[in-house]
Amino acid sequence: MSYHLKTLTQLRAGLASRAFSARELTVSFLNRMAAHDGGLNSFITQTPEQALLAADLADKRLAAGETGPLLGIPYAHKDIFCTAGVRTTCASKMLGNWVAPYDASVHQKLAAAGAVMLGKTNMDEFAMGSSNENSAFGAVKNPWDHTAVPGGSSGGSAAAVAARLVPIATGSDTGGSIRQPAAYCGITGIKPTYGRVSRFGMIAYASSLDQGGVLGVSAADCAVMLQAMAGHDARDSTSAPVPVPDYVAQLNQPMAGLRIGVPRQWFTQGLSVSVAARIDDALLELEALGATRVAIDLPDAPLALAAYYLIAPAEASSNLSRFDGVRFGHRCADPQDLNDLYERSRSEGFGAEVQRRILIGTYALSAGYYDAFYVRAQRARRQIAAHFASAFAHCDVIAGPVAPNVAFDLGAHSKDPATMYLEDIYTIPVNLAGLPGMSIPVGFAGGRPVGMQLIGPAFTESRLLSVAHHYQQHTDWHQQIPNAYREDVV
Amino acid sequence: MSSHAGWEAVIGLEIHTQLATQSKIFSGAATAFGAEPNSQACAVDLGLPGVLPVLNAEAVRMAALFGLAVGAHVALESTFDRKNYFYPDLPKGYQISQLAQPIVSGGAVVIAVGEGDKAVQKTIHLTRAHLEEDAGKSLHEDFAGATGIDLNRAGTPLIEIVSEPEMSSAAEAVAYARKIHAMVQYLGICDGNMQEGSFRVDANVSVRRRGDTQLGTRTEVKNVNSFRFLERAIDYEINRQIELIEDGGRVQQQTRLYDPNKDETRMMRTKEAADDYRYFPDPDLLPVIIKPETLEAWRASLPELPDAKAARYQAHYGLSAYDSSVLTSAKQTAAYFEQTLAAMGKAGDAKLVANWVTGTLAAQLNKEGLEISLSPVPADLLAQLLLRVVDNTLSNKLAKEVFDAVWAGEGTPDGIIEARGLKQITDTGAIEAMVGAILAEHPDKVAEYRAGKDKLFGFFVGLVMKAAKGKANPQQLNDVLKSSLGSCGEEGGV
């Protein structure tokens, strides 16, 4: 039946017409997962039994005449979302087999919509990383090239969707963790406006930057998924009490007259020539669809990188203090005293990158450094937001690269975290300003996918999705599937 | 302290006041005291991964009420910060508090320094009062070398009320703490229970030679769960510091625990190097915004506070300044006074009630260590008793006897008067008959009296009172006896 080649809309139609059941659909994707994930390592936890139960429940609801865009649709969760009854690891030895006694708000919503979770995907530990190599459960491979990283931190979700092990997956994005792996894996990803999707039950990395979102094949699929996830949540004080528009209905907003801002500074230093060329091709395509290109100034990318690597670790150092070996998670053997319990539990439980960021953050918040680091970083953050606001006076959407390069080789940056941090230079400013951003596939360079980033003012997800949708109506980059994953699994 | 002339103490208090909300400051868990360990701690209180705090608006209202009551600035926008430190009873590894922009800053209360009507007023200024969450409790007993943790208290809303270092004796510190204690109870924002930790006072104490302008090194005294212990702990600490310096030593910046059994403070930890709590704004919480009209509505809702009530007692009831301040020093005492007076109706006598509440009742409560709200003689029964005093049914002496009987649970005042036949004899005819009988029995003594032996008057009073089983109205007895002795003398002279 090649379910893995269908859009969510097609799957919904098939389920509604009873052409196939949710169980058949689920079994088909479980088979793909069983056949392929051994090589990819995109899942930390697979939940076939729960998936079949959920599928049967969906079939009952479908049989009762119920219909819904996600009813019976398989998906995967990044393993940062808490799920009662299924362990949540954040790819850390620290959490190990910890099982949350509650569901993340996002999970509650998806479960209520009847979506069928197939498992929880690999990621960089506590969402800290850009390659998915910082996982206690091992690195994830890029389906397009097993010697390449899938990007991170939502690398497992990106790889699973790229290999069509699931039609769609959740992710989280603190500095680019949805957009960059989506770009590296040749799929579509959206990081909504900060506050659009509840953070309740999404394990915190950097609270003022974290935002849940979607990785899927197309903008249209992402619109369906985001619709179910978005909205105000009384359990998250920072979630926005802003009405959620009908993203699917608004996919066909007119392109004519749309002003696309292209930041001059993003196309000068450090950007791969071939990535720049693919983005230029995409911009030409959008112009052909009626949009106009406007040069804008966003001079702050290097500043944003510096600010991010102070603010995010500062918040992380505090957020991760609760992992102390006292109440849950990893606890060292035979602690001699309280300090020994803390030191060894945390040294054993956290990986190197997490420890590095906790130390950076602790330092940045320390007396005598706080003003020089944290306070200045917050000032820089306000300046970055102000520059975006000025830019949006001249354009409706900003387009540019997601990352300076295509996916790099596994192990290429593992000795040098600073070069790894540069991967996020175009995505981080968006998180600092709290804006929505997307990544859409726009071609290949050296056999690896290239992504283009679209950025909008706060709460303009529907416009971003619409621009991406128009582009995808006229191109087929998003429909490309790595050779090894194209065929049906029987 | 008399041995330490030439020294002065400088004291500031930090008072952690648990707010009387139904649920915790950032979660929906209940705040009741005394539940099974960890039965009132939800995922938020446990600091589980992924959970988020949601501010309890009632805690904000209560904190604002306190600020309004002490004439402080109540910030229309305040913010929460994280105070980071590791401790097993601090589940998140940080406490959500307010550092940079507290909800309440400034304000002052007036205390009375000195005893009775010689007391003088002194204003103690507040630095700030900020909202924060309480930590859990570490239980060191019953776990054989390990430590138990009860997180029921974790997340209970607190305001930490910080005074300026403006008190110069333990007595002043106690007066200030009592004043704040009264205020929060008047406002209904704290149950004030010091034993259960609802109202926890830490004292920062330093000493310096009189005339010095620089502050000495201070210590922080914790674990003081009554006003009596607060006074003793501060006195102990002042003496300890003075003796230490006079012996050539140096006060170290320390946190010290008061041990009521040994009546001493002892070192808990040194604070020579300032703790680095790495405060920063909590990114999980938005600024707390209070609309100006909301603040005005809260201001209008303020109850009558102790100072205003005391002034009213003086002006309206003619009570002394001292009695007024004693009666209003605790909300329940004032309520008891007012209830008693009201229950007496038109016959109510404020001075009489004040005397009984601050005298007999207070002494008895104090003796048995009872709160006035638990008095075995409730306000309506005291009122009934005092009505019998006002209408001369009971002498003061008999009234005390009846009071003791009511206290002992023997019934109502009227019931006890009836049962014991304590009703005063006020029938002049009956008293005259008794006087006449006694005088007739003692003609020789009557003659001696009439011959000028005035002292015998008391002898006759005693005999008549004995015959009346103590129930004769003393004034009437005096009058009758005087006139009878006089008339007898006249008769005798005939």
Side-chain angles (χ1 to χ4, degrees), chain B residues 60-79:
Chain B
V60 175
R61 185 187 71 89
M62 289 182 170
L65 278 188
F66 177 78
L68 293 169
V70 296
H73 169 68
V74 177
L76 296 180
E77 179 173 341
S78 63
T79 52

Side-chain angles (χ1 to χ4, degrees), chain A residues 102 199 201 237 318-319 322 327 367, chain B residues 46 48-50 82 84 91 276:
Chain A
Y102 47 83
R199 293 188 298 115
S237 306
S318 178
N319 284 333
R322 70 190 61 201
R327 297 168 312 287
Chain B
L46 295 175
L48 294 187
R82 291 186 183 176
N84 294 283
D276 187 353

Side-chain angles (χ1 to χ4, degrees), chain A residues 244-307:
Chain A
V244 182
D246 187 334
Y247 295 128
V248 177
Q250 295 185 11
L251 278 174
N252 291 305
Q253 293 173 43
M255 287 285 282
L258 184 86
R259 298 166 302 163
I260 298 179
V262 181
R264 290 186 183 90
Q265 293 84 354
W266 290 14
F267 290 84
T268 52
Q269 185 93 11
L271 180 65
S272 143
V273 173
S274 47
V275 169
R278 293 295 85 74
I279 290 169
D280 197 53
D281 292 346
L283 288 169
L284 288 170
E285 181 70 37
L286 289 173
E287 285 180 302
L289 293 170
T292 51
R293 202 190 302 207
V294 187
I296 57 162
D297 287 303
L298 283 178
D300 303 317
L303 180 67
L305 199 65

Side-chain angles (χ1 to χ4, degrees), chain B residues 28 164 227 302 306 319 373 435 493:
Chain B
E164 290 291 310
F227 293 120
L302 283 174
L319 300 183
S373 56
V435 168

Side-chain angles (χ1 to χ4, degrees), chain B residues 69-70 108-112 121-123 179 182-183 186 303-315 321 324-325 328-329:
Chain B
V70 296
V109 295
V110 177
I111 61 169
Q121 292 188 328
K122 178 171 178 177
T123 299
K179 193 58 171 274
M183 304 273 292
Y186 270 77
E304 185 183 41
L305 293 166
D307 291 350
K309 202 180 267 293
R312 179 164 65 85
Y313 285 4
Q314 285 186 64
S324 301
S325 97
T328 55
S329 64

